[in-house]
Amino acid sequence: MNFNLTQIPERTTKPRNYGLTMVMDKGLSLQEAKNFLSIAAPHVDILKLGFGTSFVTPNLREKIEVYQAANIPVYFGGTLFEAFLIRNQIDDFISVIKDYGIKHVEVSDGSITIPHAEKCGYIEKLAKISTVLSEVGSKDAEHIIPPYKWIELMNAELSAGASYVIAEARESGNVGIYRGSGEVREGLVQEILTQVPSEKIIWEAPQKAQQLYFLELIGCNVNLGNLAPSEVIALEAMRVGLRGDTFHLYLDKA
């Protein structure tokens, strides 16, 4: 850090196993990606090329290499995995990730229905060649999954070989673990945490109030995802109690 302050909570250090910040790139240019890394690289643990943007992104290989050169793992959004899968092109998907040197893979079923045993089979297969992040939860706001089912799905996917499970919220933060208003489904979250280790869950939390909720509930080393590139520094300040929302959270506790 740039200067000494007491009573700052201890953050895990990179390469982190927990306390992760996952950022979603929805279309930064090469120069924007470089500018972003110039300020935020120390605080970014994983970078997702959102949904299917990698298919239409110019200079994709060069862009991936920019992130990889900063030792930041890159992966394609789960929607791309689903797009290959529904077209019966899973072998093509594997060829693509190998060709681009992608070491992390998101396995999701937010847009299509996959029998869960089959999804776990893909997790098991892909875990042999990559670090798997499996996403639980539907992008359909009308599809409400009961807490016991979230727990069952998450634990099964971790057992199948996923390194982390991602709690679905979309980039807008208004489905899955959140209500349409963006409010956290607190009962759901707290029930999940009784059965699934918090360090194995990445909570998609694009909105500041959502980030604050998880920081207060779990602590500064909670795994958070779907951060906008412009919000990374602000989040890191909030993690360590240097934003108004968390200013008093760690005083006399560190």
Side-chain angles (χ1 to χ4, degrees), residues 24-242:
M24 180 189 278
D25 175 343
K26 296 193 291 184
L28 297 180
S29 69
L30 279 174
Q31 190 56 53
E32 286 170 334
K34 292 173 184 177
N35 290 345
F36 161 61
L37 290 176
S38 72
I39 186 70
H43 308 299
V44 179
D45 299 286
I46 321 174
L47 187 126
K48 172 165 66 176
L49 299 175
F51 31 102
T53 55
S54 51
F55 183 75
V56 295
T57 297
N59 305 308
L60 177 62
R61 192 176 303 275
E62 187 178 350
K63 186 177 188 180
I64 290 171
E65 289 170 353
V66 165
Y67 288 126
Q68 291 173 335
N71 294 315
I72 295 173
V74 177
Y75 69 98
F76 299 137
T79 301
L80 189 71
F81 163 80
E82 295 178 51
F84 273 93
L85 183 60
I86 202 169
R87 292 169 173 81
N88 296 312
Q89 290 183 256
I90 192 66
D91 290 338
D92 292 336
F93 176 75
I94 291 171
S95 296
V96 167
I97 62 173
K98 287 181 175 178
D99 180 41
Y100 282 92
I102 299 294
K103 305 296 185 186
H104 286 56
V105 172
E106 181 177 326
V107 174
S108 66
D109 55 355
S111 297
I112 62 175
T113 299
I114 310 171
H116 198 244
E118 184 180 331
K119 182 183 181 185
C120 287
Y122 291 122
I123 292 169
E124 188 174 351
K125 180 177 183 177
L126 289 164
K128 294 174 181 174
I129 60 169
S130 63
T131 298
V132 174
L133 313 171
S134 68
E135 188 171 67
V136 176
S138 174
K139 289 178 168 57
D140 181 356
E142 301 302 314
H143 184 205
I144 303 298
I145 302 173
Y148 82 90
K149 195 67 178 176
W150 280 84
I151 292 166
E152 182 182 301
L153 297 173
M154 286 180 163
N155 281 327
E157 292 175 23
L158 289 168
S159 296
S163 295
Y164 299 93
V165 286
I166 301 172
E168 169 72 76
R170 301 190 75 174
E171 71 270 19
S172 52
N174 59 4
V175 298
I177 53 172
Y178 305 109
R179 297 185 174 88
S181 62
E183 180 187 0
V184 180
R185 292 175 62 196
E186 293 189 44
L188 167 62
V189 168
Q190 292 178 23
E191 195 159 340
I192 288 171
L193 287 169
T194 66
Q195 302 291 328
V196 185
S198 64
E199 64 270 19
K200 289 292 187 179
I201 305 171
I202 299 175
W203 307 95
E204 291 188 339
Q207 299 179 25
K208 186 181 78 164
Q210 296 165 352
Q211 297 157 19
L212 176 61
Y213 172 81
F214 286 107
L215 288 170
E216 290 179 334
L217 180 67
I218 297 172
C220 69
N221 288 311
V222 63
N223 301 320
L224 296 174
N226 278 12
L227 266 290
S230 60
E231 294 297 321
V232 172
I233 293 293
L235 171 63
E236 194 62 30
M238 188 157 70
R239 281 189 186 273
V240 297
L242 295 176

